[in-house]
PDB file of all heavy atoms in Angstrom:
ATOM      1  N   GLU A  22      27.061   4.304  26.948  1.00  0.00           N
ATOM      2  CA  GLU A  22      26.532   5.653  27.360  1.00  0.00           C
ATOM      3  C   GLU A  22      27.261   6.813  26.757  1.00  0.00           C
ATOM      4  O   GLU A  22      28.531   6.802  26.769  1.00  0.00           O
ATOM      5  CB  GLU A  22      26.575   5.744  28.960  1.00  0.00           C
ATOM      6  CG  GLU A  22      25.985   7.043  29.345  1.00  0.00           C
ATOM      7  CD  GLU A  22      25.571   7.060  30.861  1.00  0.00           C
ATOM      8  OE1 GLU A  22      25.823   6.033  31.579  1.00  0.00           O
ATOM      9  OE2 GLU A  22      24.979   8.089  31.323  1.00  0.00           O
ATOM     10  N   LEU A  23      26.566   7.816  26.190  1.00  0.00           N
ATOM     11  CA  LEU A  23      27.168   8.953  25.578  1.00  0.00           C
ATOM     12  C   LEU A  23      27.370  10.001  26.698  1.00  0.00           C
ATOM     13  O   LEU A  23      26.763  11.089  26.678  1.00  0.00           O
ATOM     14  CB  LEU A  23      26.322   9.506  24.404  1.00  0.00           C
ATOM     15  CG  LEU A  23      25.959   8.454  23.297  1.00  0.00           C
ATOM     16  CD1 LEU A  23      25.204   9.137  22.179  1.00  0.00           C
ATOM     17  CD2 LEU A  23      27.277   7.822  22.703  1.00  0.00           C
ATOM     18  N   SER A  24      28.297   9.769  27.623  1.00  0.00           N
ATOM     19  CA  SER A  24      28.326  10.739  28.768  1.00  0.00           C
ATOM     20  C   SER A  24      29.010  11.975  28.383  1.00  0.00           C
ATOM     21  O   SER A  24      28.751  13.065  29.034  1.00  0.00           O
ATOM     22  CB  SER A  24      29.193  10.030  29.903  1.00  0.00           C
ATOM     23  OG  SER A  24      29.393   8.830  29.757  1.00  0.00           O
ATOM     24  N   ARG A  25      29.824  12.088  27.283  1.00  0.00           N
ATOM     25  CA  ARG A  25      30.461  13.337  26.978  1.00  0.00           C
ATOM     26  C   ARG A  25      29.425  14.239  26.245  1.00  0.00           C
ATOM     27  O   ARG A  25      29.326  15.425  26.575  1.00  0.00           O
ATOM     28  CB  ARG A  25      31.733  13.102  26.097  1.00  0.00           C
ATOM     29  CG  ARG A  25      32.893  12.667  26.934  1.00  0.00           C
ATOM     30  CD  ARG A  25      33.695  11.654  26.366  1.00  0.00           C
ATOM     31  NE  ARG A  25      32.926  10.291  26.374  1.00  0.00           N
ATOM     32  CZ  ARG A  25      32.994   9.440  27.382  1.00  0.00           C
ATOM     33  NH1 ARG A  25      33.771   9.601  28.433  1.00  0.00           N
ATOM     34  NH2 ARG A  25      32.177   8.277  27.350  1.00  0.00           N
ATOM     35  N   ILE A  26      28.705  13.670  25.253  1.00  0.00           N
ATOM     36  CA  ILE A  26      27.826  14.497  24.491  1.00  0.00           C
ATOM     37  C   ILE A  26      26.608  15.006  25.435  1.00  0.00           C
ATOM     38  O   ILE A  26      26.203  16.169  25.389  1.00  0.00           O
ATOM     39  CB  ILE A  26      27.219  13.737  23.334  1.00  0.00           C
ATOM     40  CG1 ILE A  26      28.261  13.787  22.211  1.00  0.00           C
ATOM     41  CG2 ILE A  26      25.885  14.266  22.880  1.00  0.00           C
ATOM     42  CD1 ILE A  26      27.833  13.031  20.933  1.00  0.00           C
ATOM     43  N   ALA A  27      26.288  14.164  26.354  1.00  0.00           N
ATOM     44  CA  ALA A  27      25.190  14.574  27.271  1.00  0.00           C
ATOM     45  C   ALA A  27      25.545  15.145  28.547  1.00  0.00           C
ATOM     46  O   ALA A  27      24.737  15.401  29.426  1.00  0.00           O
ATOM     47  CB  ALA A  27      24.351  13.202  27.582  1.00  0.00           C
ATOM     48  N   ARG A  28      26.918  15.625  28.603  1.00  0.00           N
ATOM     49  CA  ARG A  28      27.316  16.068  29.997  1.00  0.00           C
ATOM     50  C   ARG A  28      26.644  17.369  30.415  1.00  0.00           C
ATOM     51  O   ARG A  28      26.371  17.579  31.574  1.00  0.00           O
ATOM     52  CB  ARG A  28      28.873  16.255  30.028  1.00  0.00           C
ATOM     53  CG  ARG A  28      29.376  17.383  29.340  1.00  0.00           C
ATOM     54  CD  ARG A  28      30.874  17.526  29.315  1.00  0.00           C
ATOM     55  NE  ARG A  28      31.313  18.292  28.237  1.00  0.00           N
ATOM     56  CZ  ARG A  28      31.912  17.803  27.131  1.00  0.00           C
ATOM     57  NH1 ARG A  28      32.122  16.536  27.038  1.00  0.00           N
ATOM     58  NH2 ARG A  28      32.121  18.621  26.166  1.00  0.00           N
ATOM     59  N   ALA A  29      26.186  18.245  29.484  1.00  0.00           N
ATOM     60  CA  ALA A  29      25.539  19.456  29.796  1.00  0.00           C
ATOM     61  C   ALA A  29      24.094  19.404  30.025  1.00  0.00           C
ATOM     62  O   ALA A  29      23.439  20.289  30.474  1.00  0.00           O
ATOM     63  CB  ALA A  29      25.794  20.511  28.733  1.00  0.00           C
ATOM     64  N   ILE A  30      23.502  18.130  29.962  1.00  0.00           N
ATOM     65  CA  ILE A  30      22.036  18.034  30.154  1.00  0.00           C
ATOM     66  C   ILE A  30      21.707  17.032  31.228  1.00  0.00           C
ATOM     67  O   ILE A  30      22.588  16.236  31.596  1.00  0.00           O
ATOM     68  CB  ILE A  30      21.362  17.609  28.829  1.00  0.00           C
ATOM     69  CG1 ILE A  30      21.892  16.264  28.382  1.00  0.00           C
ATOM     70  CG2 ILE A  30      21.495  18.621  27.737  1.00  0.00           C
ATOM     71  CD1 ILE A  30      21.006  15.548  27.390  1.00  0.00           C
ATOM     72  N   ASP A  31      20.505  17.145  31.759  1.00  0.00           N
ATOM     73  CA  ASP A  31      20.094  16.193  32.806  1.00  0.00           C
ATOM     74  C   ASP A  31      19.467  15.009  32.092  1.00  0.00           C
ATOM     75  O   ASP A  31      18.452  15.076  31.568  1.00  0.00           O
ATOM     76  CB  ASP A  31      19.060  16.804  33.616  1.00  0.00           C
ATOM     77  CG  ASP A  31      19.645  17.993  34.415  1.00  0.00           C
ATOM     78  OD1 ASP A  31      20.902  17.882  34.831  1.00  0.00           O
ATOM     79  OD2 ASP A  31      18.884  18.991  34.570  1.00  0.00           O
ATOM     80  N   GLY A  32      20.125  13.790  32.192  1.00  0.00           N
ATOM     81  CA  GLY A  32      19.564  12.639  31.499  1.00  0.00           C
ATOM     82  C   GLY A  32      20.652  11.818  30.884  1.00  0.00           C
ATOM     83  O   GLY A  32      21.833  12.309  30.731  1.00  0.00           O
ATOM     84  N   ARG A  33      20.380  10.723  30.490  1.00  0.00           N
ATOM     85  CA  ARG A  33      21.466   9.790  29.857  1.00  0.00           C
ATOM     86  C   ARG A  33      21.016   9.374  28.452  1.00  0.00           C
ATOM     87  O   ARG A  33      19.776   9.067  28.242  1.00  0.00           O
ATOM     88  CB  ARG A  33      21.476   8.443  30.753  1.00  0.00           C
ATOM     89  CG  ARG A  33      21.800   8.826  32.175  1.00  0.00           C
ATOM     90  CD  ARG A  33      21.592   7.448  32.925  1.00  0.00           C
ATOM     91  NE  ARG A  33      22.702   6.533  32.789  1.00  0.00           N
ATOM     92  CZ  ARG A  33      22.523   5.275  32.918  1.00  0.00           C
ATOM     93  NH1 ARG A  33      21.358   4.699  33.278  1.00  0.00           N
ATOM     94  NH2 ARG A  33      23.641   4.549  32.787  1.00  0.00           N
ATOM     95  N   ILE A  34      21.926   9.228  27.558  1.00  0.00           N
ATOM     96  CA  ILE A  34      21.649   8.675  26.279  1.00  0.00           C
ATOM     97  C   ILE A  34      22.461   7.387  26.098  1.00  0.00           C
ATOM     98  O   ILE A  34      23.746   7.439  26.254  1.00  0.00           O
ATOM     99  CB  ILE A  34      22.087   9.686  25.131  1.00  0.00           C
ATOM    100  CG1 ILE A  34      21.343  10.963  25.254  1.00  0.00           C
ATOM    101  CG2 ILE A  34      21.745   9.058  23.750  1.00  0.00           C
ATOM    102  CD1 ILE A  34      21.722  12.024  24.277  1.00  0.00           C
ATOM    103  N   ALA A  36      23.602   4.398  23.552  1.00  0.00           N
ATOM    104  CA  ALA A  36      23.679   4.220  22.093  1.00  0.00           C
ATOM    105  C   ALA A  36      24.097   2.762  21.740  1.00  0.00           C
ATOM    106  O   ALA A  36      25.155   2.310  22.245  1.00  0.00           O
ATOM    107  CB  ALA A  36      24.656   5.190  21.458  1.00  0.00           C
ATOM    108  N   ARG A 263      21.816  19.927  11.951  1.00  0.00           N
ATOM    109  CA  ARG A 263      21.904  19.319  13.260  1.00  0.00           C
ATOM    110  C   ARG A 263      22.311  17.850  13.170  1.00  0.00           C
ATOM    111  O   ARG A 263      23.185  17.402  13.985  1.00  0.00           O
ATOM    112  CB  ARG A 263      20.544  19.410  13.994  1.00  0.00           C
ATOM    113  CG  ARG A 263      20.313  20.829  14.459  1.00  0.00           C
ATOM    114  CD  ARG A 263      19.282  20.841  15.488  1.00  0.00           C
ATOM    115  NE  ARG A 263      19.615  20.246  16.844  1.00  0.00           N
ATOM    116  CZ  ARG A 263      18.870  19.458  17.503  1.00  0.00           C
ATOM    117  NH1 ARG A 263      17.572  19.280  17.131  1.00  0.00           N
ATOM    118  NH2 ARG A 263      19.237  18.878  18.562  1.00  0.00           N
ATOM    119  N   GLU A 266      26.064  18.014  12.466  1.00  0.00           N
ATOM    120  CA  GLU A 266      26.829  18.489  13.588  1.00  0.00           C
ATOM    121  C   GLU A 266      26.930  17.401  14.699  1.00  0.00           C
ATOM    122  O   GLU A 266      28.021  17.107  15.215  1.00  0.00           O
ATOM    123  CB  GLU A 266      26.144  19.768  14.260  1.00  0.00           C
ATOM    124  CG  GLU A 266      26.934  20.450  15.320  1.00  0.00           C
ATOM    125  CD  GLU A 266      26.104  20.910  16.473  1.00  0.00           C
ATOM    126  OE1 GLU A 266      24.918  21.280  16.233  1.00  0.00           O
ATOM    127  OE2 GLU A 266      26.640  20.932  17.616  1.00  0.00           O
ATOM    128  N   MET A 267      25.842  16.712  14.925  1.00  0.00           N
ATOM    129  CA  MET A 267      25.822  15.619  15.955  1.00  0.00           C
ATOM    130  C   MET A 267      26.681  14.436  15.522  1.00  0.00           C
ATOM    131  O   MET A 267      27.359  13.769  16.296  1.00  0.00           O
ATOM    132  CB  MET A 267      24.475  15.231  16.262  1.00  0.00           C
ATOM    133  CG  MET A 267      24.345  14.430  17.591  1.00  0.00           C
ATOM    134  SD  MET A 267      25.151  15.344  18.966  1.00  0.00           S
ATOM    135  CE  MET A 267      23.770  16.336  19.519  1.00  0.00           C
ATOM    136  N   THR A 268      26.664  14.131  14.157  1.00  0.00           N
ATOM    137  CA  THR A 268      27.483  12.993  13.711  1.00  0.00           C
ATOM    138  C   THR A 268      28.938  13.317  13.956  1.00  0.00           C
ATOM    139  O   THR A 268      29.735  12.415  14.345  1.00  0.00           O
ATOM    140  CB  THR A 268      27.187  12.757  12.194  1.00  0.00           C
ATOM    141  OG1 THR A 268      25.772  12.668  12.061  1.00  0.00           O
ATOM    142  CG2 THR A 268      27.816  11.452  11.734  1.00  0.00           C
ATOM    143  N   ARG A 269      29.333  14.620  13.652  1.00  0.00           N
ATOM    144  CA  ARG A 269      30.735  14.996  13.862  1.00  0.00           C
ATOM    145  C   ARG A 269      31.083  14.978  15.398  1.00  0.00           C
ATOM    146  O   ARG A 269      32.185  14.621  15.705  1.00  0.00           O
ATOM    147  CB  ARG A 269      30.968  16.331  13.348  1.00  0.00           C
ATOM    148  CG  ARG A 269      30.914  16.362  11.801  1.00  0.00           C
ATOM    149  CD  ARG A 269      31.093  17.755  11.244  1.00  0.00           C
ATOM    150  NE  ARG A 269      30.996  17.733   9.770  1.00  0.00           N
ATOM    151  CZ  ARG A 269      30.826  18.763   8.970  1.00  0.00           C
ATOM    152  NH1 ARG A 269      30.650  19.983   9.397  1.00  0.00           N
ATOM    153  NH2 ARG A 269      30.888  18.720   7.679  1.00  0.00           N
ATOM    154  N   ARG A 270      30.164  15.425  16.224  1.00  0.00           N
ATOM    155  CA  ARG A 270      30.421  15.393  17.660  1.00  0.00           C
ATOM    156  C   ARG A 270      30.678  13.937  18.158  1.00  0.00           C
ATOM    157  O   ARG A 270      31.369  13.607  18.988  1.00  0.00           O
ATOM    158  CB  ARG A 270      29.279  16.067  18.465  1.00  0.00           C
ATOM    159  CG  ARG A 270      29.314  17.574  18.420  1.00  0.00           C
ATOM    160  CD  ARG A 270      28.280  18.240  19.285  1.00  0.00           C
ATOM    161  NE  ARG A 270      28.648  17.901  20.628  1.00  0.00           N
ATOM    162  CZ  ARG A 270      27.837  18.144  21.728  1.00  0.00           C
ATOM    163  NH1 ARG A 270      26.615  18.744  21.519  1.00  0.00           N
ATOM    164  NH2 ARG A 270      28.099  17.912  22.955  1.00  0.00           N
ATOM    165  N   LEU A 271      29.742  13.036  17.595  1.00  0.00           N
ATOM    166  CA  LEU A 271      29.908  11.566  17.967  1.00  0.00           C
ATOM    167  C   LEU A 271      31.327  11.169  17.699  1.00  0.00           C
ATOM    168  O   LEU A 271      31.900  10.362  18.558  1.00  0.00           O
ATOM    169  CB  LEU A 271      28.870  10.756  17.120  1.00  0.00           C
ATOM    170  CG  LEU A 271      27.454  10.645  17.681  1.00  0.00           C
ATOM    171  CD1 LEU A 271      26.614   9.985  16.630  1.00  0.00           C
ATOM    172  CD2 LEU A 271      27.468   9.773  18.986  1.00  0.00           C
ATOM    173  N   ALA A 272      31.895  11.505  16.585  1.00  0.00           N
ATOM    174  CA  ALA A 272      33.272  11.056  16.227  1.00  0.00           C
ATOM    175  C   ALA A 272      34.218  11.671  17.152  1.00  0.00           C
ATOM    176  O   ALA A 272      35.036  11.068  17.736  1.00  0.00           O
ATOM    177  CB  ALA A 272      33.500  11.485  14.822  1.00  0.00           C
ATOM    178  N   ARG A 273      34.131  13.091  17.291  1.00  0.00           N
ATOM    179  CA  ARG A 273      35.208  13.819  18.048  1.00  0.00           C
ATOM    180  C   ARG A 273      35.147  13.506  19.546  1.00  0.00           C
ATOM    181  O   ARG A 273      36.154  13.339  20.205  1.00  0.00           O
ATOM    182  CB  ARG A 273      34.980  15.303  17.840  1.00  0.00           C
ATOM    183  CG  ARG A 273      35.699  15.886  16.660  1.00  0.00           C
ATOM    184  CD  ARG A 273      35.858  17.455  16.777  1.00  0.00           C
ATOM    185  NE  ARG A 273      34.587  18.036  17.216  1.00  0.00           N
ATOM    186  CZ  ARG A 273      33.721  18.391  16.277  1.00  0.00           C
ATOM    187  NH1 ARG A 273      33.937  18.395  14.935  1.00  0.00           N
ATOM    188  NH2 ARG A 273      32.532  19.019  16.599  1.00  0.00           N
ATOM    189  N   GLU A 274      33.870  13.468  20.120  1.00  0.00           N
ATOM    190  CA  GLU A 274      33.789  13.533  21.555  1.00  0.00           C
ATOM    191  C   GLU A 274      33.682  12.030  22.053  1.00  0.00           C
ATOM    192  O   GLU A 274      33.996  11.736  23.265  1.00  0.00           O
ATOM    193  CB  GLU A 274      32.599  14.304  22.026  1.00  0.00           C
ATOM    194  CG  GLU A 274      32.722  15.788  21.645  1.00  0.00           C
ATOM    195  CD  GLU A 274      31.498  16.580  21.943  1.00  0.00           C
ATOM    196  OE1 GLU A 274      30.863  16.366  22.984  1.00  0.00           O
ATOM    197  OE2 GLU A 274      31.181  17.551  21.272  1.00  0.00           O
ATOM    198  N   GLU A 275      33.042  11.133  21.301  1.00  0.00           N
ATOM    199  CA  GLU A 275      32.649   9.831  21.830  1.00  0.00           C
ATOM    200  C   GLU A 275      33.476   8.673  21.156  1.00  0.00           C
ATOM    201  O   GLU A 275      33.367   7.630  21.506  1.00  0.00           O
ATOM    202  CB  GLU A 275      31.181   9.493  21.732  1.00  0.00           C
ATOM    203  CG  GLU A 275      30.280  10.579  22.397  1.00  0.00           C
ATOM    204  CD  GLU A 275      30.208  10.270  23.888  1.00  0.00           C
ATOM    205  OE1 GLU A 275      30.800   9.353  24.436  1.00  0.00           O
ATOM    206  OE2 GLU A 275      29.488  11.090  24.589  1.00  0.00           O
ATOM    207  N   GLY A 276      34.226   9.066  20.120  1.00  0.00           N
ATOM    208  CA  GLY A 276      34.985   8.050  19.340  1.00  0.00           C
ATOM    209  C   GLY A 276      34.052   7.125  18.568  1.00  0.00           C
ATOM    210  O   GLY A 276      34.386   5.974  18.343  1.00  0.00           O
ATOM    211  N   ILE A 277      32.914   7.661  18.209  1.00  0.00           N
ATOM    212  CA  ILE A 277      31.874   6.803  17.573  1.00  0.00           C
ATOM    213  C   ILE A 277      31.785   7.365  16.070  1.00  0.00           C
ATOM    214  O   ILE A 277      31.325   8.442  15.854  1.00  0.00           O
ATOM    215  CB  ILE A 277      30.566   6.771  18.224  1.00  0.00           C
ATOM    216  CG1 ILE A 277      30.734   6.026  19.609  1.00  0.00           C
ATOM    217  CG2 ILE A 277      29.406   6.221  17.415  1.00  0.00           C
ATOM    218  CD1 ILE A 277      29.519   6.148  20.499  1.00  0.00           C
ATOM    219  N   SER A 283      22.531   8.471  12.452  1.00  0.00           N
ATOM    220  CA  SER A 283      22.883   8.209  13.800  1.00  0.00           C
ATOM    221  C   SER A 283      22.952   9.552  14.443  1.00  0.00           C
ATOM    222  O   SER A 283      22.515   9.675  15.648  1.00  0.00           O
ATOM    223  CB  SER A 283      24.323   7.608  13.862  1.00  0.00           C
ATOM    224  OG  SER A 283      24.347   6.332  13.079  1.00  0.00           O
ATOM    225  N   GLY A 284      23.525  10.578  13.779  1.00  0.00           N
ATOM    226  CA  GLY A 284      23.556  11.987  14.330  1.00  0.00           C
ATOM    227  C   GLY A 284      22.169  12.488  14.488  1.00  0.00           C
ATOM    228  O   GLY A 284      21.897  13.069  15.546  1.00  0.00           O
ATOM    229  N   ASN A 286      19.550  10.685  15.146  1.00  0.00           N
ATOM    230  CA  ASN A 286      18.903  10.019  16.306  1.00  0.00           C
ATOM    231  C   ASN A 286      19.355  10.586  17.610  1.00  0.00           C
ATOM    232  O   ASN A 286      18.666  10.852  18.565  1.00  0.00           O
ATOM    233  CB  ASN A 286      19.315   8.473  16.321  1.00  0.00           C
ATOM    234  CG  ASN A 286      18.445   7.716  15.313  1.00  0.00           C
ATOM    235  OD1 ASN A 286      17.445   8.158  14.910  1.00  0.00           O
ATOM    236  ND2 ASN A 286      18.928   6.480  15.078  1.00  0.00           N
ATOM    237  N   VAL A 287      20.690  10.939  17.696  1.00  0.00           N
ATOM    238  CA  VAL A 287      21.197  11.492  18.993  1.00  0.00           C
ATOM    239  C   VAL A 287      20.667  12.929  19.202  1.00  0.00           C
ATOM    240  O   VAL A 287      20.360  13.267  20.280  1.00  0.00           O
ATOM    241  CB  VAL A 287      22.780  11.423  19.015  1.00  0.00           C
ATOM    242  CG1 VAL A 287      23.306  12.069  20.176  1.00  0.00           C
ATOM    243  CG2 VAL A 287      23.275   9.969  18.881  1.00  0.00           C
ATOM    244  N   ALA A 288      20.649  13.774  18.048  1.00  0.00           N
ATOM    245  CA  ALA A 288      20.118  15.144  18.173  1.00  0.00           C
ATOM    246  C   ALA A 288      18.744  15.070  18.738  1.00  0.00           C
ATOM    247  O   ALA A 288      18.342  15.777  19.546  1.00  0.00           O
ATOM    248  CB  ALA A 288      20.193  15.785  16.816  1.00  0.00           C
ATOM    249  N   ALA A 290      17.233  12.694  20.520  1.00  0.00           N
ATOM    250  CA  ALA A 290      17.339  12.212  21.861  1.00  0.00           C
ATOM    251  C   ALA A 290      17.671  13.435  22.815  1.00  0.00           C
ATOM    252  O   ALA A 290      17.030  13.596  23.921  1.00  0.00           O
ATOM    253  CB  ALA A 290      18.346  11.077  22.109  1.00  0.00           C
ATOM    254  N   MET A 291      18.595  14.257  22.369  1.00  0.00           N
ATOM    255  CA  MET A 291      18.894  15.517  23.154  1.00  0.00           C
ATOM    256  C   MET A 291      17.708  16.382  23.286  1.00  0.00           C
ATOM    257  O   MET A 291      17.561  16.882  24.380  1.00  0.00           O
ATOM    258  CB  MET A 291      20.112  16.245  22.470  1.00  0.00           C
ATOM    259  CG  MET A 291      21.397  15.580  22.435  1.00  0.00           C
ATOM    260  SD  MET A 291      22.285  15.667  23.997  1.00  0.00           S
ATOM    261  CE  MET A 291      23.123  17.270  23.774  1.00  0.00           C
ATOM    262  N   LEU A 294      15.468  14.894  26.002  1.00  0.00           N
ATOM    263  CA  LEU A 294      15.917  15.030  27.337  1.00  0.00           C
ATOM    264  C   LEU A 294      15.989  16.448  27.865  1.00  0.00           C
ATOM    265  O   LEU A 294      16.021  16.644  29.029  1.00  0.00           O
ATOM    266  CB  LEU A 294      17.362  14.369  27.511  1.00  0.00           C
ATOM    267  CG  LEU A 294      17.513  12.916  27.164  1.00  0.00           C
ATOM    268  CD1 LEU A 294      18.897  12.406  27.229  1.00  0.00           C
ATOM    269  CD2 LEU A 294      16.606  12.108  28.169  1.00  0.00           C
ATOM    270  N   GLN A 295      15.921  17.373  26.918  1.00  0.00           N
ATOM    271  CA  GLN A 295      15.992  18.807  27.288  1.00  0.00           C
ATOM    272  C   GLN A 295      14.535  19.366  27.464  1.00  0.00           C
ATOM    273  O   GLN A 295      14.415  20.471  27.961  1.00  0.00           O
ATOM    274  CB  GLN A 295      16.746  19.613  26.269  1.00  0.00           C
ATOM    275  CG  GLN A 295      18.243  19.353  26.400  1.00  0.00           C
ATOM    276  CD  GLN A 295      19.062  20.015  25.358  1.00  0.00           C
ATOM    277  OE1 GLN A 295      18.829  19.777  24.132  1.00  0.00           O
ATOM    278  NE2 GLN A 295      19.974  20.933  25.767  1.00  0.00           N
ATOM    279  N   ILE A 307      22.966   3.531  16.758  1.00  0.00           N
ATOM    280  CA  ILE A 307      23.916   4.116  15.804  1.00  0.00           C
ATOM    281  C   ILE A 307      23.969   3.226  14.579  1.00  0.00           C
ATOM    282  O   ILE A 307      24.462   2.136  14.605  1.00  0.00           O
ATOM    283  CB  ILE A 307      25.290   4.178  16.528  1.00  0.00           C
ATOM    284  CG1 ILE A 307      25.355   4.943  17.870  1.00  0.00           C
ATOM    285  CG2 ILE A 307      26.474   4.614  15.594  1.00  0.00           C
ATOM    286  CD1 ILE A 307      25.016   6.438  17.717  1.00  0.00           C
TER     287      ILE A 307
END
Side-chain angles (χ1 to χ4, degrees):
E22 179 161 3
L23 305 182
S24 348
R25 281 139 291 269
I26 281 179
R28 74 179 158 258
I30 60 165
D31 299 322
R33 306 166 75 205
I34 302 177
R263 286 197 66 219
E266 187 217 332
M267 194 55 83
T268 311
R269 291 177 177 164
R270 284 189 63 190
L271 274 169
R273 269 198 314 267
E274 297 176 37
E275 301 283 358
I277 291 174
S283 309
N286 282 345
V287 176
M291 291 282 275
L294 295 179
Q295 285 172 304
I307 302 298

